[in-house]
Amino acid sequence: QREKRDRQLIEETESREAERCIQQQKRDHQLIKETEAREAEERVQREKQRRQRIEETEAREAEERIQREKQDRQLIEETETREAEERIQREKRDHQQSDALFLKLYKLERTIDPLLAPQIYNNRFCPLISRLPEELLLCILDFLRDDVVALHILRVVSRTFFRLLNYQSVFWRGTDCSIPTISTSLPIVLRRQFRQLLQRDGRCDYCRRWNDANAHRLFDDCKFQQNDRLNSDGSKVSLKSLYCTLYCYACRSRHDVCQFSSTYQQALGDQPERRCLGQQGSVQLCGHVQITWARIKAHIDNWRQQQCGGDWQACLDSFNIECHNKSHDTRCTASEAPTWPRARLRTSRWRSDLVLLNLEWTPHSRIDVLGLTSDGRIPASKLRAMFQKLRSLGPADILYPRCRPGALPEMSCFSPSSRLGQLIYYKSGKANETRTPPASFRSPPYDQWLLLYDGHDTGRNGKRLDIRPHYLRDGGKRTQLPECIVVNYEKDIMICKTTDIANPAVNIIPTDHWLHAMDTDTYPHPQASQIRPQCSNSSCTNFYRRRKEYYYC
């Protein structure tokens, strides 16, 4: 009984202790929950306060930043306004100075011949060149000695620097130029720099941007062929896109894809009407006559069928195209032959195996009606107006284009320093400009007065200009001025070789020189990223109607 009571007492004691432990654990757990809730609430309050402080700080910083940006913008605007105002004032002063200088040049040109006025103007208003002694100019050149490109540019812009930087000048010693006075002797990198500087002048904004984007090119790509083209990084075009050809149904031959219009290049499948640009375009003889390749080819084919391998010279002699527009006939007397512009086939004087299309016009100009001065000289202004009138008739500007707008290559043989300069009166603004003629004044040359040629007789669109006197009086003395001068303009284009004419098996197709000689208005301009786009700005050097002196194929 005692053990039973002891066990029961123990069990009751353990039960009370267990219940007490459970109660204690409940109290502890509740206390922990209350503590955690209180801490969480405090933590939330602290986070809320921290975010509020951060937002207030950010708002304050943003407001300060906005104020600073506003102040900076205001300062920039004030600075830009001030700079713009200063620039406007500076441009206004420069414009006023330019107007004053142009006015002085205009006044000089009114009293002095236009050929002499710029020289006198430069001597008076360009002190760097005209007033500084040559010793100082040599010091300036010595300072630029390491910049070969700058030396070449100086040779271009000034007669004085052109003379100082001659072939024997010491400034070329130790440079990279094999031939000092020729820019083509520069290394490739320097030639590109020289070309980029030259291309800044006379170009419109669009052409300047294209030049900057294609600064890696030393020459413009030929727009009629793909050979040796370069990518923008200077690497060559992949062979996959190189030498693509299309079949021309007019020539019955395959040509470079660039010799076709973009319409034919993009079309798929056979196109029986497909013709190359050489068949579409034409060469201009004057403003009234266009010569097509089909016309030349038909003449040669007809001769082949009729002669069956005869003398091919007869084929050349029988080809003759003339324009009988009255404006082209400038003969002095009715008994002389008309001066029609004409096109004929002939062989080259330098290479007898080449057949050339020769375009020629030989107009006459009376100089006895120009009104000579009291001492028997020809006024340069009237002589210049005579050549301007001659060029307004059309063929002259086509066969021998001007090197720049307003230039007259015919006047190059009448400069004051030439052998004919004594025959010409250049208005210098002096009160009394009459003079006693020198002993040789009454003995002008009676043969050729002027001969200018550039690649003539080679077939590469060469040109030739010569002037000779024309005496109208039979048996007249050759010691007097002629009554007339004869100006001869010529241009030649390679057609084929002489062996090709006599061989009917040879298919005669348009040559590269024919393609470059075509009138740009008679065929669509090839479209490609590496080809210079046509410029429609007439004041730009790259104006598409202006004849290109050189082309690189």
Side-chain angles (χ1 to χ4, degrees):
Q1 288 295 327
R2 283 193 303 271
E3 290 176 358
K4 185 177 180 180
R5 285 194 302 270
D6 292 339
R7 280 195 302 269
Q8 186 177 1
L9 182 61
I10 292 171
E11 289 175 0
E12 291 176 356
T13 303
E14 289 177 353
S15 176
R16 282 194 304 272
E17 289 179 357
E19 184 178 358
R20 190 171 51 252
C21 289
I22 292 173
Q23 292 297 327
Q24 183 66 34
Q25 289 177 357
K26 285 182 179 181
R27 287 194 297 272
D28 293 342
H29 185 65
Q30 185 176 1
L31 181 61
I32 290 172
K33 285 185 177 181
E34 292 176 355
T35 303
E36 289 178 351
R38 188 170 54 254
E39 290 178 351
E41 186 178 357
E42 293 176 355
R43 186 166 59 252
V44 169
Q45 291 296 329
R46 287 196 302 271
E47 185 67 22
K48 185 177 180 181
Q49 294 175 358
R50 188 178 66 83
R51 284 199 301 268
Q52 186 175 0
R53 288 195 301 269
I54 291 174
E55 290 175 357
E56 292 176 354
T57 303
E58 289 179 350
R60 187 169 57 253
E61 290 178 352
E63 186 177 358
E64 293 176 355
R65 184 169 61 253
I66 292 173
Q67 292 296 328
R68 286 197 302 270
E69 291 177 353
K70 185 177 181 180
Q71 294 175 357
D72 293 341
R73 282 197 302 270
Q74 186 176 0
L75 181 61
I76 291 173
E77 290 176 357
E78 292 176 354
T79 304
E80 290 179 348
T81 303
R82 186 170 59 254
E83 291 178 352
E85 186 176 355
E86 293 176 354
R87 184 171 62 254
I88 292 173
Q89 293 296 329
R90 186 168 58 252
E91 290 177 353
K92 185 177 180 180
R93 289 195 302 269
D94 294 342
H95 186 68
Q96 291 176 350
Q97 294 176 358
S98 299
D99 288 345
L101 292 176
F102 279 125
L103 180 61
K104 294 177 181 177
L105 179 60
Y106 175 72
K107 290 181 179 179
L108 285 174
E109 289 179 343
R110 292 184 62 183
T111 57
I112 302 175
D113 189 84
L115 182 65
L116 303 179
Q119 300 179 18
I120 298 176
Y121 172 83
N122 290 335
N123 289 335
R124 292 181 181 177
F125 305 106
C126 296
L128 177 63
I129 304 299
S130 60
R131 300 181 183 179
L132 288 182
E134 289 191 358
E135 289 78 7
L136 289 181
L137 296 179
L138 291 174
C139 291
I140 295 174
L141 294 177
D142 184 65
F143 179 78
L144 298 173
R145 188 170 186 173
D146 295 336
D147 194 346
V148 181
V149 176
L151 295 180
H152 277 280
I153 292 294
L154 289 175
R155 295 185 77 251
V156 174
V157 300
S158 168
R159 291 188 181 93
T160 302
F161 287 134
F162 183 82
R163 176 175 54 82
L164 294 177
L165 295 171
N166 56 34
Y167 180 79
Q168 299 178 347
S169 176
V170 296
F171 295 103
W172 302 113
R173 296 177 185 176
T175 62
D176 296 331
C177 297
S178 57
I179 305 178
T181 56
I182 301 179
S183 60
T184 54
S185 65
L186 292 171
I188 296 297
V189 176
L190 297 181
R191 288 174 69 183
R192 288 198 183 99
Q193 296 178 7
F194 184 70
R195 182 174 185 263
Q196 291 174 20
L197 291 174
L198 292 180
Q199 285 184 335
R200 294 179 182 177
D201 296 332
R203 269 73 173 182
C204 62
D205 294 338
Y206 182 79
C207 290
R208 287 177 182 173
R209 288 193 297 268
W210 194 92
N211 291 337
D212 293 339
N214 295 269
H216 61 281
R217 304 181 187 277
L218 185 57
F219 299 101
D220 286 351
D221 282 335
C222 173
K223 60 183 179 181
F224 299 113
Q225 62 177 248
Q226 305 171 92
N227 300 346
D228 298 332
R229 286 200 172 143
L230 300 178
N231 294 313
S232 58
D233 58 355
S235 61
K236 288 191 176 182
V237 176
S238 62
L239 293 177
K240 182 178 180 180
S241 60
L242 200 60
Y243 306 123
C244 296
T245 59
L246 288 176
Y247 186 81
C248 175
Y249 288 88
C251 297
R252 300 191 303 277
S253 176
R254 300 191 71 86
H255 303 313
D256 191 302
V257 68
C258 290
Q259 295 184 22
F260 295 86
S261 65
S262 57
T263 303
Y264 291 138
Q265 293 179 22
Q266 298 171 3
L268 300 176
D270 290 336
Q271 299 168 300
E273 75 283 358
R274 184 195 296 143
R275 293 193 306 156
C276 65
L277 297 179
Q279 294 283 352
Q280 297 183 48
S282 59
V283 171
Q284 190 176 22
L285 175 63
C286 63
H288 315 94
V289 176
Q290 297 277 354
I291 304 172
T292 62
W293 183 264
R295 188 171 183 178
I296 300 174
K297 182 69 164 51
H299 174 80
I300 297 176
D301 290 343
N302 291 338
W303 178 85
R304 284 174 171 176
Q305 295 175 1
Q306 296 173 5
Q307 300 297 325
C308 298
D311 183 15
W312 52 263
Q313 186 63 46
C315 174
L316 305 185
D317 296 339
S318 60
F319 184 86
N320 185 57
I321 299 176
E322 295 180 346
C323 178
H324 289 188
N325 188 278
K326 294 182 179 180
S327 63
H328 302 324
D329 188 9
T330 59
R331 53 184 166 174
C332 298
T333 60
S335 60
E336 297 177 340
T339 59
W340 309 125
R342 65 173 181 170
R344 57 192 178 93
L345 295 176
R346 65 172 179 84
T347 57
S348 170
R349 299 183 184 91
W350 301 105
R351 290 185 55 184
S352 58
D353 62 329
L354 296 182
V355 176
L356 309 179
L357 175 65
N358 190 77
L359 311 177
E360 181 181 10
W361 185 44
T362 309
H364 294 207
S365 295
R366 297 292 294 263
I367 61 176
D368 56 349
V369 297
L370 295 181
L372 304 181
T373 60
S374 59
D375 55 359
R377 288 181 291 170
I378 305 173
S381 57
K382 295 184 177 181
L383 187 65
R384 193 177 289 108
M386 181 190 73
F387 287 128
Q388 289 282 13
K389 180 181 178 181
L390 197 65
R391 284 193 167 266
S392 67
L393 301 179
D397 271 333
I398 296 173
L399 305 182
Y400 201 99
R402 312 166 190 251
C403 60
R404 63 183 183 279
L408 287 174
E410 297 88 348
M411 289 295 295
S412 59
C413 74
F414 299 104
S415 63
S417 59
S418 67
R419 62 174 182 170
L420 296 175
Q422 59 182 352
L423 304 176
I424 311 302
Y425 163 61
Y426 286 96
K427 192 175 181 180
S428 61
K430 297 180 181 179
N432 184 12
E433 300 186 75
T434 59
R435 61 182 182 181
T436 303
S440 59
F441 176 72
R442 293 296 178 182
S443 300
Y446 57 88
D447 53 353
Q448 196 174 55
W449 282 9
L450 172 67
L451 175 60
L452 298 176
Y453 61 92
D454 184 7
H456 184 258
D457 232 4
T458 63
R460 295 185 58 87
N461 292 337
K463 57 184 181 180
R464 172 190 170 102
L465 166 64
D466 66 83
I467 300 177
R468 58 183 182 274
H470 182 206
Y471 294 91
L472 301 180
R473 301 185 184 91
D474 296 335
K477 296 181 180 180
R478 295 296 188 266
T479 58
Q480 298 178 352
L481 281 174
E483 296 81 10
C484 171
I485 58 175
V486 177
V487 187
N488 183 48
Y489 302 96
E490 287 190 45
K491 178 181 179 179
D492 54 43
I493 308 163
M494 178 182 172
I495 300 300
C496 62
K497 292 189 176 182
T498 54
T499 55
D500 298 340
I501 294 181
N503 187 0
V506 177
N507 184 23
I508 299 178
I509 61 177
T511 61
D512 289 340
H513 310 301
W514 171 270
L515 295 173
H516 285 281
M518 293 188 305
D519 183 3
T520 53
D521 276 340
T522 60
Y523 65 92
H525 183 72
Q527 303 292 328
S529 59
Q530 69 277 0
I531 296 177
R532 181 182 292 276
Q534 281 190 328
C535 181
S536 57
N537 190 339
S538 59
S539 62
C540 179
T541 303
N542 293 328
F543 179 51
Y544 80 103
R545 291 292 297 166
R546 185 166 292 122
R547 305 282 174 167
K548 302 298 185 295
E549 296 292 336
Y550 304 98
Y551 52 91
Y552 178 72
C553 294

